[in-house]
Amino acid sequence: MIQFILNNQIIRTAVNSGVTLLDFVRDHNQLKGTKIGCREGDCGACTVLVGELKNDAVSYKSITSCIYPLGNANGKHIVTIEGINLSKELNIAQKSMSESYATQCGFCTPGFVVSLTGYTLQKTAGANTVTDAISGNICRCTGYKSIEKAAKLVDDRLANNKEVNKLGWLIKEKFIPNYFKHIPEKLKTLELKTLKKEGVIVANGTDIYVRHADRLSEVAVHLIVEDESLKGIEMNEDICTVGANTTVSEILDNSQIRSFFPKLKSFLKLVSSEQIRNMGTLGGNFVNASPIGDMSVFFLALDSTLVIKNKAGIKRSIQFKSFHLDYKKYDLKEDELIESISFKIPLKDTRFNFEKVSKRTHLDIASVNSACKITMKKDVISEACIAIGGVAPIPKYLSKTSSFLSGKIMSTEIIKQAEAILQSEITPISDVRGASGYKRLLARQLFFTHFIELFPTKIKPETLLDL
Amino acid sequence: MRNIDSYGHVRGESLFVDDIIVRQDTLYGLTFDSPIAHGKIKNINYDKAAQVDGVIKIFTHKDINGENQIGGILPDEPLWAEDEVHFMGQPIAFIVAISESIAKKARALITIEIDELPVITTAKEAKEKGSYINAPRSFMLGDTEKAFTNCDYVFEGESFSNGQEHLYLETQGCYAVPMENGNIKITSSTQGPTAVQKIVARVLGVAMHTIEIDVIRLGGGFGGKEDQATPWAVMAAVAVQHLKKPVKYILNRHDDLRMTGKRHPYESTFKIGLTKDLKIKAFDVEFLQNSGAAADLSPAVAERTLFHATNSYFIPNVSSIIRSCKTNLPPNTAFRGFGGPQGMFVIESAIAHAAYKLGVDKSEIQEANLLTEGDEFSYGQIATQVEAKACWRMTKEAFQFDKLQKEVALFNKENTVLKKGLSLMPIAFGISFTNTQMNHARALIHIYQDGSVGVSTGAVEMGQSVNTKMLQITANTLGIHPSKVKLETTNTTRVANTSPSAASSTADLNGNAVLKACSALIKRLTKVAATMLSVEEEIISFKDDKVFVNNNKSDLFWEKVVEQAMSQRVALSENGHYATPVIHFDKTKEKGHPFAYHVYGTAITMVTVDCLRGTYKFDAVKIVHDFGKSMNLGIDIGQVEGALAQGIGWMTMEEIAFNEKGKLLSNTLSSYKVPDIFSVPKEIDIIPLETLGNHMAVLKSKAVGEPPLMYGIGAYFAIQDAVKAFNKNYQPKFHAPFTPEKVLMSLYADK
């Protein structure tokens, strides 16, 4: 039995946990405002909000309901466009959209309104820009300028908030309907039952639901996302350990991790969209085993260690770079799960860079992505760890290139020599993300770019590229 | 006035086909389509699929009572394949089951054996094999052969533009319901309700009056639902005819991407001749249109390519030919611009090529050849009320183009790995269906006895806000508050024999029909009011819900006049019919006056290319656009911005890919990317050109749907400009879209 609050109504349902939340709201509850655009999480027309009770308050995030298992709504507040409507007038996001001519055919509009409203509900509106909040919403009609205007209107109204009780303020200012204030209490009254722990293992579904939503709607699913042992970000001396269930957004929200990587925000904004970052977990990204997985490449360059546990609770550790074996093959047995990934907290002299190029800069799969961690001892590279995606059957740790660089004095010439080794380590194929020749050139470019970005005074593009 | 639907849209209350609450006995359809692009069907086994619990029936061509033929322009496309398949994704059968998921399971159990035949995927290959849809078309002006001999410079080259997926956010779909006496009502997401009605009747072997098509609104169309909304509705209707139960069929995104046609890819060769003063004296062009496996709208699209082969320029000697090449891709179809953008890309390529060879700025050649009053197009129409130079001049002045050029030059001097590029893109786009007989529309207006008004037209609302414009015209002409007017769904029983909502002409045609109907009603009400007030009819007018006498407000209300008219048995309904005057075209001579008028404009595009990564960002697009006298500038600006973004998408990131077997590789939203909020220009400035408007446009407010898409072509040449600034050895190629892949390869080609 799954229990949650859908808008202002308590739902108790025996529908299979693996059914998508989208189908549940549209077909089982006849709430037709949430639209079906792609069923891939790639258009945002089905965006809804998920509110989770944390310390007496509910924190909301936007997700794409087309690839979200119904079971994950258990114990949460799910808000669709209908749950945002005030009885007789438009809320601030709606009014802003309407006034800015930001709706044409109207099919994507509810998704934008939900995302914008979700933005107004976020606790730390400062961390995210209003544009980030709608980064996962595609509109084919407007060209977005009118939507940008609407978003700015929302942002400006939000900037007026000076009250402590934000929810009350949002209600008073007509951002959200009145019933939101009763949701925390209402959520507490749900007597939640644990869902069955058998079947296909699913975290938040962002990958598996893209391909297998039909099947998962009918079979048993084992939802692991509430598993406490897979959650959390911890620092222990010089090691940072991140639970496999951690989402990309949670990494971004962690101030300590942000302090290790000052440019983290700009790196991770290249990873999918707001909605998907709110859902996609590290463990999911690793076992999806895409040769181009952004988070795999990121953690490979951190020379990370995986902790894997089996059903009996027996744990083993392996180097992350030995996890991926071949295309979509990895070192994980039937009864095993990734528990966490850990990495050495970067030292003062350690520099880190992440690069990604895709057809569309945001919400796209890379043609090539790469991450690079370099530790310097004066002019000498004491350690280099470089990973690259999209140029091999697996997300590739460039072991030869990395070890070649280690111990060398940083220079343009050394980087050029290392690039030749890089080319010998990669085996790109031609596909819809680019021809192999392009990927080789792009691999070179991104490799060079790491050094140009990390050592701007020492390494100049002119000399590196013979311009 | 804002889009009248916006209140419902932002609340999620606007209804689309998929949102209709269905009858309890509704069944669900799904297409089984060809897994092979070309071949003879040897054997299909439906047994296992038919046995799946919940499958009601699997329909094939054998179940068709009428003709198995859905071709619009040419009868060359079956609804369901019989012996041969001609593209991957061609419908073969239609599974009807009690749920979509059951239908999907059944589909997976159908087995098919096909003897494969050679597959053609490119237009060039089709030409080599003589595989065409129809005879080529050719427009001629002057004598190119002679003119080339008198040119100081002659250059030849080639140009390619790829297809484009419509990616309407709402996929194709319909809901067909049996009515009494064998009649069928279909709610369809179509731009052409009459086309659906006609083809359904043909395939079912019934009269058109038994089929009612209703369209609430579309979640985007862009041409993709002009002809290609039809087959799905026909399939559902065949099933309803047999089963006497409602059938719903909404395509899932992957089926939609795989089975529907797109913008036509074009492979073209050109020869351009100029004199020393940069005047283009001769232009010779051959367009190879990749039409796909059936005609669909390709012949009409081809025609429009020829109409726009010289864009906004006067070229005295033109020789143009287009071949609609039959390939084994899904039949390509209408897409905003309808062949015009493809034609314009080639002339812009030719000019860029000549500029590169001559070492001059592309804009110098463009500027030297802009259309002037009285110039003749290659199809014989004389250009009048020409705004080409006015737009160009105003763009350069208002946005300080010279200053921008200097800024860009300085930026490029100071930066090694970031380079900026600039382009100017003028447009001239003809308004009217090029097929003269389609330029008509009707409106049915009821004034109800309480004074409220219902308006039905042939216009389909798909986001372009045509209903808002119809409402504006009604309220203005009747002199009543907009809240008194309601726009009805588009329905073939209220407004029949309509042309599709296409060619940017929907507001012009239907708006003029509304205007005529309202004028007739006002004439009758004027008579009533004059009697009531005992004054002459000539001094009566209606405004602000009141009757005015000699422009002075009287005490007589709109409602009172309507009530009186009712009691006097005056007709309060009116059907307005409008057919565009003046236009004509003789296909035997390929000459005439096909367009009511042209829309003009000029855009500046500025881009910054990251020469390390091969990526780019558009800093700004600055446009002077000829709206005529816009009746709703807010809505029209939205059309310009949206069309521009779509045009930029076509020129940059939207890359359709088929493999050599004719399989679509860009078959998901994760492999086909359309612009998102970060990839549109940071700044879009639009200045309306001040003109007196054009009396051929409804209320002098010019059509706006398609023309601005072609500003997007400027994106290609702006990127090219930046690439040249980085790589002096770069030899310009014209091969759109300019993806990050092509940018990076160009940046480092021969470097």
Side-chain angles (χ1 to χ4, degrees), chain A residues 70-293:
Chain A
L70 173 65
N72 277 355
N74 199 29
K76 313 234 169 77
H77 181 209
I78 302 295
V79 188
T80 68
I81 182 75
E82 290 86 355
I84 277 167
N85 287 337
L86 308 177
S87 61
K88 283 193 187 110
E89 55 191 319
L90 299 181
N91 83 2
I92 298 296
Q94 292 168 329
K95 205 159 164 260
S96 305
M97 288 283 284
S98 173
E99 280 174 2
S100 307
Y101 291 85
T103 141
Q104 289 188 18
C105 84
F107 201 81
C108 72
T109 309
F112 274 96
V113 169
V114 171
S115 292
L116 282 172
T117 305
Y119 172 74
T120 67
L121 277 161
Q122 273 173 1
K123 268 189 181 157
T124 50
N128 236 339
T129 68
V130 69
T131 315
D132 292 333
I134 48 177
S135 62
N137 294 87
I138 296 296
C139 169
R140 190 59 158 160
C141 292
T142 62
Y144 301 99
K145 300 320 276 186
S146 51
I147 296 174
E148 277 175 10
K149 258 176 234 152
K152 187 167 183 308
L153 287 177
V154 172
D155 219 14
D156 289 349
R157 284 292 292 270
L158 213 54
N160 297 334
N161 174 25
K162 293 195 175 63
E163 291 182 32
V164 186
N165 174 11
K166 198 177 166 204
L167 201 64
W169 184 82
L170 288 171
I171 291 167
K172 197 181 87 198
E173 296 292 313
K174 295 179 177 155
F175 284 91
I176 47 171
N178 193 47
Y179 79 84
F180 270 72
K181 70 177 172 211
H182 306 298
I183 293 297
E185 286 310 310
K186 243 179 162 169
L187 279 175
K188 283 182 201 165
T189 64
L190 295 180
E191 287 169 11
L192 295 181
K193 310 231 168 20
T194 320
L195 303 178
K196 275 187 196 152
K197 290 185 176 175
E198 56 196 39
V200 182
I201 292 173
V202 177
N204 266 325
T206 55
D207 176 60
I208 196 167
Y209 268 78
V210 172
R211 288 171 291 126
H212 302 297
D214 287 339
R215 184 165 65 84
L216 294 169
S217 70
E218 294 181 353
V219 301
V221 291
H222 176 187
L223 300 171
I224 58 167
V225 85
E226 293 302 322
D227 186 337
E228 289 298 327
S229 71
L230 308 179
K231 284 184 177 178
I233 299 171
E234 282 170 22
M235 312 297 156
N236 196 344
E237 292 181 6
D238 61 342
I239 301 290
C240 172
T241 302
V242 185
N245 268 354
T246 307
T247 64
V248 179
S249 291
E250 284 164 349
I251 291 177
L252 201 50
D253 285 344
N254 186 289
S255 57
Q256 274 177 298
I257 296 188
R258 277 206 309 273
S259 74
F260 307 152
F261 310 102
K263 284 173 76 180
L264 189 69
K265 191 175 167 181
S266 64
F267 297 154
L268 296 188
K269 292 289 146 148
L270 298 175
V271 179
S272 58
S273 67
E274 175 78 2
Q275 288 94 321
I276 306 298
R277 287 191 294 268
N278 285 338
M279 300 162 74
T281 63
L282 289 187
N285 200 240
F286 301 156
V287 299
N288 170 26
S290 161
I292 204 78

Side-chain angles (χ1 to χ4, degrees), chain B residues 70-285:
Chain B
I70 60 166
I73 294 178
L74 297 175
D76 69 346
E77 191 178 358
L79 177 69
W80 289 310
E82 296 185 10
D83 308 321
E84 285 190 9
V85 286
H86 292 272
F87 65 94
M88 210 179 277
Q90 181 174 357
I92 296 172
F94 188 59
I95 305 148
V96 175
I98 57 169
S99 78
E100 197 192 334
S101 65
I102 288 172
K104 274 189 193 166
K105 273 184 209 151
R107 178 164 76 177
L109 296 172
I110 297 173
T111 55
I112 185 165
E113 281 176 76
I114 296 175
D115 273 340
E116 294 189 37
L117 292 167
V119 171
I120 302 174
T121 60
T122 68
K124 222 173 240 174
E125 217 184 322
K127 187 189 171 190
E128 281 162 17
K129 294 185 177 167
S131 170
Y132 298 115
I133 294 286
N134 59 353
R137 296 274 300 271
S138 181
F139 288 7
M140 301 286 186
L141 180 68
D143 182 343
T144 43
E145 220 168 293
K146 201 170 127 202
F148 276 120
T149 61
N150 295 328
C151 286
D152 298 308
Y153 317 111
V154 176
F155 303 108
E156 292 182 57
E158 51 185 37
S159 172
F160 172 82
S161 63
N162 204 338
Q164 183 177 25
E165 165 59 42
H166 301 85
L167 218 106
Y168 25 67
L169 262 277
E170 175 211 33
T171 55
Q172 305 270 7
C174 66
Y175 181 45
V177 179
M179 311 301 277
E180 59 180 12
N181 302 326
N183 299 327
I184 298 173
K185 179 179 176 177
I186 305 170
T187 306
S188 166
S189 179
T190 178
Q191 292 173 242
T194 292
V196 175
Q197 183 192 21
K198 187 172 130 187
I199 307 290
V200 168
R202 183 202 286 169
V203 176
L204 267 57
V206 300
M208 277 175 78
H209 69 209
T210 66
I211 306 299
E212 174 184 353
I213 308 298
D214 191 73
V215 183
I216 310 169
R217 62 169 58 76
L218 274 53
F222 315 115
K225 295 172 182 171
E226 182 175 345
D227 239 29
Q228 298 208 354
T230 303
W232 329 114
V234 180
M235 290 175 196
V238 171
V240 171
Q241 190 184 33
H242 282 264
L243 302 173
K244 312 278 185 289
K245 287 205 172 159
V247 174
K248 181 172 171 175
Y249 182 25
I250 309 291
L251 273 69
N252 68 57
R253 178 63 67 185
H254 295 170
D255 284 4
D256 188 307
L257 290 171
R258 185 178 68 252
M259 297 194 292
T260 65
K262 301 158 201 326
R263 186 189 290 286
H264 296 76
Y266 273 57
E267 291 160 83
S268 312
T269 47
F270 58 80
K271 186 172 169 187
I272 187 169
L274 304 93
T275 48
K276 282 213 165 74
D277 55 357
L278 301 182
K279 291 273 184 199
I280 305 170
K281 290 296 175 191
F283 183 55
D284 190 344
V285 59

Side-chain angles (χ1 to χ4, degrees), chain A residues 35 40 140 144-145 355 360, chain B residues 19 613 654 669 674 681:
Chain A
K35 304 299 179 195
E40 289 182 59
R140 190 59 158 160
Y144 301 99
K145 300 320 276 186
E355 293 289 333
R360 188 171 72 195
Chain B
D19 304 334
R613 301 171 179 90
E654 296 188 34
L669 258 63
V674 299

